[in-house]
Amino acid sequence: MLKNLHKRILVPVILFTGLASMLSSCGIERRLAGDYLNKKETTAVLLIAPDLVFKEGFKVPDSLNLDSLPEENRNTLLLQYTELVQYIDDSIFIDGYVNGLSYGLRQLGYKVFKDYNSHTFLATGENRMILNLAQLQLEEYYIPVKDQASFSDDESYRYEFFITGININSWFEMTGLNHSDSAIRVVFNSEAISDYSESDFRYFPLSGEVKYLYAVDSLRITDVYEAGRNTGYINAGNFHNYLINRYIRMNMPGGQTPEKIMVYDRVSGVLRKSDSTGFTEIQ
């Protein structure tokens, strides 16, 4: 009986110990994230913008044999089949993107400097970081929309049409200036926009006819520019979350490894667990 009693006591103790360890680990990460939030207001960020936007088209007509196109002219030729990307003005897109990025960083408490006032940035005695938007890329492609419906046991209906999608790809180089860790880190982010579509099969019982109805609200040039500004704003938050988790990794006690990613929710103003900071680090 004493042996059984020992088992009944031991199991809850083991479970409690494991739970306490998990809570303690998450508590450390949350505390360190809070420490970073308290210090971030003294961080100055210098934004460096690219000179151009790389553009690629993937809308390949059925009549076009890609293998027949010369390698050096392939991208230029394919860009001619894009409906939007080829008409994007690089300067307008970059300015909107950087303005969204700058606004987002200021909203999060950072002091932001553009490359034209780098001398003022270098004169600050605060924690300083350079955020170089090393490359911007726009990719335009087709997205298949497939529908299927059945109105009887004997017949199945299928329909497929295509809408336009655009990827906004960003590569950043991040460098700290006045602390021991001044290595250049490269991170990547991709955001996507697309036409909006609504579609459905309609069955007309009197005639037994089935029709497929769909409507597409197509992207416009102004939508791409707006998406650029929004992507800049999103990446300000991703930059913030990346630095939070970098601070956590560098300050975990006893060489421990963080088990959770902590991100800052700008809407609620609270920290929460997440699967990603929004950036993919490129080694």
Side-chain angles (χ1 to χ4, degrees):
M1 180 177 177
L2 198 56
K3 185 177 180 181
N4 292 335
L5 178 62
H6 174 72
K7 287 183 178 179
R8 288 198 296 271
I9 294 174
L10 182 60
V11 172
V13 168
I14 292 174
L15 291 175
F16 176 77
T17 303
L19 179 61
S21 176
M22 289 169 55
L23 291 174
S24 174
S25 173
C26 186
I28 293 172
E29 294 154 1
R30 190 176 295 276
R31 176 177 59 78
L32 289 172
D35 289 345
Y36 179 82
L37 292 180
N38 292 331
K39 296 176 181 178
K40 75 173 190 307
E41 293 182 355
T42 62
T43 300
V45 178
L46 176 66
L47 297 183
I48 299 178
D51 296 323
L52 56 87
V53 179
F54 290 92
K55 301 165 186 173
E56 289 196 51
F58 296 96
K59 291 181 169 179
V60 183
D62 294 335
S63 58
L64 187 65
N65 182 5
L66 276 179
D67 295 332
S68 67
L69 299 179
E71 189 72 31
E72 61 273 15
N73 297 331
R74 183 174 298 178
N75 184 63
T76 303
L77 292 171
L78 289 177
L79 197 60
Q80 296 175 7
Y81 293 100
T82 61
E83 299 171 30
L84 297 167
V85 165
Q86 65 172 311
Y87 301 111
I88 295 298
D89 182 279
D90 290 12
S91 296
I92 295 175
F93 188 85
I94 292 170
D95 287 347
Y97 188 110
V98 173
N99 286 338
L101 181 62
S102 176
Y103 175 75
L105 289 172
R106 288 193 175 96
Q107 193 180 55
L108 288 165
Y110 294 90
K111 295 183 178 180
V112 180
F113 299 84
K114 302 287 182 65
D115 49 5
Y116 55 78
N117 58 3
S118 58
H119 58 286
T120 307
F121 165 78
L122 292 172
T124 62
E126 302 161 338
N127 293 326
R128 293 172 296 176
M129 291 203 69
I130 297 175
L131 184 58
N132 176 23
L133 180 52
Q135 184 171 311
L136 266 177
Q137 181 188 49
L138 293 174
E139 299 175 316
E140 184 172 328
Y141 52 93
Y142 283 123
I143 299 174
V145 178
K146 300 179 181 180
D147 277 332
Q148 181 175 343
S150 179
F151 298 95
S152 69
D153 295 334
D154 301 327
E155 291 184 290
S156 180
Y157 298 89
R158 293 179 177 86
Y159 197 89
E160 179 180 14
F161 64 98
F162 295 88
I163 60 176
T164 293
I166 295 177
N167 289 337
I168 303 173
N169 300 325
S170 313
W171 287 263
F172 290 94
E173 294 177 346
M174 298 185 293
T175 312
L177 290 186
N178 53 351
H179 49 72
S180 57
D181 186 10
S182 58
I184 297 177
R185 286 175 168 77
V186 181
V187 295
F188 171 78
N189 168 266
S190 182
E191 301 292 331
I193 58 172
S194 68
D195 296 338
Y196 175 78
S197 66
E198 289 185 340
S199 57
D200 197 11
F201 285 96
R202 294 286 302 275
Y203 175 67
F204 298 88
L206 292 179
S207 63
E209 188 179 12
V210 174
K211 289 186 177 181
Y212 186 75
L213 306 176
Y214 70 92
V216 177
D217 185 5
S218 300
L219 289 170
R220 296 162 295 178
I221 296 291
T222 53
D223 296 321
V224 182
Y225 290 139
E226 183 180 2
R229 288 190 294 272
N230 291 340
T231 300
Y233 181 80
I234 289 169
N235 280 327
N238 293 337
F239 172 75
H240 184 50
N241 291 328
Y242 178 87
L243 293 185
I244 288 175
N245 287 276
R246 180 166 165 264
Y247 181 86
I248 292 172
R249 289 196 304 271
M250 294 175 63
N251 291 278
M252 287 291 288
Q256 297 180 45
T257 301
E259 297 180 2
K260 300 293 182 182
I261 293 173
M262 303 300 299
V263 298
Y264 178 73
D265 190 320
R266 282 187 279 201
V267 177
S268 63
V270 299
L271 290 162
R272 58 179 176 81
K273 293 181 288 185
S274 178
D275 295 327
S276 171
T277 64
F279 279 157
T280 299
E281 188 164 0
I282 301 174
Q283 301 297 332

